Amino acid sequence: MSIKVNTISKLYGKQKALDNISFTVKRPEIVGFLGPNGAGKSTMMKILTTYIEASSGGILVNTHDKTNPKGIQNSIGYLPEHNPLYLDMYIKEYLAFNASIYNVSKARINDVIALTGLTPEVHKKIGQLSKGYRQRVGLATALLHDPEVLILDEPTTGLDPNQLIEIRHLIKTIGQTKTVFLSTHIMQEVEAMCDRVIIINKGKIVADKKLDALQNDSTQVVVVEFDYRVEDAFLLKLPKVDQVKNTHGFVYEITFQTSEDMRAHVFDFAHDNALKILQLNQKNASLESLFRELTSAD
């Protein structure tokens, strides 16, 4: 296994940020660490990266424990929530600076530039880059020393839809050969990228599940946007439909009670009624309902 967390607790004064947490992450695997704001996600990330120490319990990262923080640091790549960059430096200049810290070959710089899709912008200073490309620079830096484990804290926060798709694809590609442990409070990011989800609430792990197990649930939500308003009564005539909700404009969430992919039926409905479909997606209703159930206020 790449990561083993054993009965970790962390106290800030009398406040317990983490309460007896244990889990393991294997390679290759992308695990989403999901929870509401203040649940303890960033604290766990900081302990895994040796930035702070746990009050009790232990961690093992690539066979290194807390007695060997250098070993842990050398075997992980870390992208913090607030990506620290020198905005006045050129991309290659910044990566060369970090390569010297990691004591890795300068040839590795071109490798991570290609891997993270930075080539079109490589002539620019970091301050000239969009948020999406700055995240790519952060990922390139985390990958410079070819770590076995990537720890990403809110890697998609603040990105526009196009940037989201690009960074998701990049993380999924990296996750084919490495362990990726990423924190987020956005369920859609877990659905789009992860193999498994760990949900934390008030410092405790409240769920640890494979995504495919949740996706095999019989409840399915299809999100569709038409070019014209449709009466709910017509959509309720679709097979196996349970509920229809017009969320905004011409966007509808249609809940079905079946494991069959119902998007084809929605497409046929649009065709038969001379409607254009502007978007057609599935939502993991099981993950959303599980999250709400386990993290709602007492």
Side-chain angles (χ1 to χ4, degrees), residues 42-229:
S42 290
T43 297
M44 188 68 251
M45 294 287 186
K46 290 173 182 176
I47 291 172
L48 284 174
T49 58
T50 74
Y51 183 73
I52 61 174
E53 290 188 6
S55 301
S56 62
I59 61 170
L60 200 65
V61 180
N62 295 326
T63 72
H64 305 291
D65 62 19
K66 63 182 180 181
T67 65
N68 184 16
K70 267 295 183 203
I72 293 176
Q73 292 164 13
N74 288 334
S75 64
I76 63 171
Y78 178 44
L79 178 64
E81 180 178 3
H82 302 292
N83 185 7
L85 298 169
Y86 292 115
L87 302 184
D88 289 336
M89 296 179 78
Y90 290 94
I91 292 174
K92 276 195 172 181
E93 182 184 12
Y94 178 75
L95 292 175
F97 168 71
N98 282 278
S100 66
I101 294 173
Y102 285 119
N103 196 27
V104 299
S105 167
K106 295 291 178 69
R108 177 67 179 161
I109 294 171
N110 290 328
D111 293 341
V112 296
I113 285 173
L115 176 63
T116 55
L118 282 167
T119 304
E121 305 291 305
V122 75
H123 62 286
K124 291 184 178 179
K125 288 186 176 182
I126 294 172
Q128 298 174 296
L129 301 176
S130 68
K131 177 79 183 284
Y133 272 102
R134 292 185 190 187
Q135 288 295 80
R136 288 172 186 262
V137 174
L139 281 170
T141 305
L143 290 165
L144 265 173
H145 57 302
D146 197 22
E148 294 182 43
V149 175
L150 267 184
I151 296 178
L152 312 176
D153 195 355
E154 303 282 358
T156 58
T157 298
L159 302 183
D160 68 33
N162 290 330
Q163 294 166 348
L164 275 175
I165 292 169
E166 293 166 357
I167 296 299
R168 284 174 185 168
H169 177 73
L170 176 55
I171 291 171
K172 283 181 72 70
T173 300
I174 293 167
Q176 292 174 3
T177 56
K178 299 183 183 295
T179 299
V180 180
F181 186 68
L182 65 92
S183 80
T184 182
H185 61 280
I186 305 171
M187 284 172 287
Q188 291 88 339
E189 298 310 298
V190 175
E191 294 174 18
M193 291 184 285
C194 299
D195 307 305
R196 175 175 148 217
V197 58
I198 298 173
I199 300 177
I200 184 174
N201 188 45
K202 298 179 181 177
K204 291 178 178 285
I205 289 179
V206 292
D208 185 346
K209 293 182 177 290
K210 290 280 190 180
L211 259 292
D212 56 5
L214 286 170
Q215 289 164 345
N216 288 336
D217 190 271
S218 61
T219 300
Q220 174 188 165
V221 177
V222 173
V223 180
V224 60
E225 181 178 6
F226 299 114
D227 64 336
Y228 196 80
R229 182 172 295 279

